[in-house]
Amino acid sequence: MQIATWNVNSLSVRLPQVLAWLAANPVDALCLQELKLTDDKFPHDALKEAGYEAAAFGQKTYNGVAILSRHPLRDVVRNIPDFGDEQARVIAATLDTPAGPLRLLNGYFVNGQEPDSEKFAYKMRWLQALQDMVRAEMAAHPRLVLVGDFNVAPEDRDSYDPEGLRETIHHTTEERNHFQALLALGLTDAFRMFEQPEKSYSWWDYRMLGFQKNRGLRIDHILVSEALKPTVTACVVDRAPRKNPQPSDHAPVVVTMSV
């Protein structure tokens, strides 16, 4: 079984690329972030033709998340319960797979703009609320995967310039502590379960030849619960879509599990 996460930075712009990627990489589930469209504009028909049903949570111009699945989806939850957020950032669903139900949480984590800003304070509140949600979800669903654009580079090796960017956004101690707190709930960073090439990133700035110079960050993650950890056989970043004309600034991350 394969699950992928991809911040597409506008599904209306990138839909042909998503469909082409799915045709070449028929994963069981693909989680998308930054849809930047409302639910009534979501391309259910095109995705159904490609073999995927979808649960979406959109928002005009900004944010938006979706889960595409080859398996039936049920028990969909949109946003963090009791958090009162106006931004469409979280969607969760249960996939009924041949190996049994699997709970999938997909998040477009808050960017935070810069430390000490109001947007950073919102990020801290949001991350704490997400921890509470994940804790409750894990209690109900031992087979759980949390994916998304976390907007956090967890370690120095996840940044092209760890010293120059130290304590800037995505690199602050506070953000990294929240990432560690998610792991402490009983989750494992699937990418770091394996030897990976040095300077492996999932996002590159459009400006200043960021991709061509590999000036990137690893901020897109797949975390698996203890019940699923023994089944994980691979986790990779697929850099190929970042080479497309008009690409997203993110690349897909894919986990493979023997379930």
Side-chain angles (χ1 to χ4, degrees):
M1 180 174 186
Q2 290 187 308
I3 295 173
T5 180
W6 190 5
N7 179 325
V8 290
N9 191 18
S10 175
L11 184 56
S12 59
V13 173
R14 241 67 70 179
L15 179 60
Q17 297 186 38
V18 170
L19 293 172
W21 190 83
L22 287 172
N25 304 272
V27 295
D28 293 84
L30 172 61
C31 295
L32 303 177
Q33 303 90 39
E34 275 203 276
L35 305 179
K36 295 184 177 180
L37 48 73
T38 50
D39 288 347
D40 60 308
K41 304 292 186 183
F42 191 85
H44 285 283
D45 291 345
L47 291 166
K48 188 172 183 179
E49 286 184 18
Y52 289 85
E53 70 171 271
F57 182 34
Q59 180 179 343
K60 185 178 181 180
T61 308
Y62 301 104
N63 308 317
V65 285
I67 297 174
L68 320 183
S69 176
R70 290 189 176 278
H71 307 283
L73 294 170
R74 58 179 170 86
D75 300 334
V76 177
V77 173
R78 293 172 172 83
N79 254 357
I80 301 173
D82 303 320
F83 185 58
D85 196 357
E86 295 182 356
Q87 301 188 21
R89 291 189 173 277
V90 176
I91 190 165
T94 296
L95 282 61
D96 285 316
T97 76
L102 182 147
R103 191 64 169 170
L104 184 54
L105 275 67
N106 174 25
Y108 174 45
F109 289 39
V110 178
N111 181 292
Q113 194 173 46
E114 61 183 27
D116 300 323
S117 69
E118 174 51 38
K119 290 183 178 179
F120 189 82
Y122 162 53
K123 184 173 191 173
M124 294 299 102
R125 295 193 301 270
W126 189 92
L127 286 168
Q128 185 58 59
L130 179 72
Q131 286 178 40
D132 296 339
M133 178 184 183
V134 172
R135 184 182 297 106
E137 288 278 357
M138 290 182 68
H141 307 282
R143 288 162 45 88
L144 181 142
V145 182
L146 171 64
V147 311
D149 174 1
F150 283 45
N151 273 312
V152 179
E155 302 176 65
D156 283 358
R157 58 181 168 166
D158 298 315
S159 173
Y160 75 92
D161 185 9
E163 288 303 327
L165 295 171
R166 192 167 302 285
E167 297 302 332
T168 64
I169 198 65
H170 311 314
H171 301 75
T172 66
T173 299
E174 294 92 333
E175 291 166 294
R176 288 176 166 181
N177 285 346
H178 274 288
F179 187 90
Q180 292 301 318
L182 287 170
L183 299 184
L185 295 176
L187 295 170
T188 297
D189 182 348
F191 190 76
R192 290 299 177 205
M193 290 175 62
F194 306 94
E195 289 291 326
Q196 302 287 357
E198 289 188 13
K199 300 182 179 180
S200 291
Y201 308 125
S202 63
W203 171 90
W204 301 263
D205 200 320
Y206 288 126
R207 300 167 295 179
M208 300 177 67
L209 300 175
F211 181 68
Q212 292 83 346
K213 295 181 179 180
N214 201 27
R215 294 165 57 90
L217 304 175
R218 189 177 74 96
I219 56 176
D220 302 271
H221 306 296
I222 297 178
L223 309 185
V224 299
S225 66
E226 287 296 320
L228 291 174
K229 182 179 176 181
T231 74
V232 177
T233 58
C235 188
V236 298
V237 176
D238 182 0
R239 293 166 51 100
R242 189 59 174 81
K243 302 173 185 177
N244 290 339
Q246 288 192 302
S248 169
D249 44 358
H250 296 253
V253 182
V254 186
V255 67
T256 303
M257 299 181 289
S258 60
V259 295

